[in-house]
Amino acid sequence: DEVINIKIKNGFGVYNFKAINILGQIIYENDFLLEDNKMSVDLKQLPKGIYIGRITNDKINTSVKFILK
């Protein structure tokens, strides 16, 4: 799927999302306003591959691995 849905418990405010390829290059970055503890990131413009998604704000710094097929 080309849309990643992220749920953050007790989350609110603006979060930064970065998609990082296996070479460590940031190939997508955007800020999102969290709504109902969720955000959806549309990544259909990215090529197929393995990525790390980094989610940050002033209270959170976490990463998730995902594959675009």
Side-chain angles (χ1 to χ4, degrees):
D1 200 6
E2 297 164 339
V3 175
I4 294 177
N5 296 302
I6 300 167
K7 186 172 184 177
I8 299 174
K9 186 176 180 180
N10 299 322
F12 63 91
V14 176
Y15 288 76
N16 179 265
F17 177 86
K18 294 177 184 165
I20 302 165
N21 68 13
I22 59 173
L23 300 176
Q25 300 166 320
I26 298 170
I27 54 170
Y28 175 87
E29 182 174 7
N30 205 349
D31 291 330
F32 292 88
L33 179 62
L34 206 63
E35 298 179 19
D36 296 326
N37 297 328
K38 296 180 277 188
M39 69 175 158
S40 294
V41 183
D42 185 351
L43 299 173
K44 65 181 152 212
Q45 75 275 14
L46 298 185
K48 296 176 183 177
I50 300 171
Y51 296 91
I52 299 293
R54 183 162 297 142
I55 304 151
T56 57
N57 73 358
D58 58 341
K59 297 179 183 173
I60 282 182
N61 184 358
T62 191
S63 299
V64 294
K65 180 180 172 182
F66 63 95
I67 299 171
L68 294 179
K69 297 180 181 180

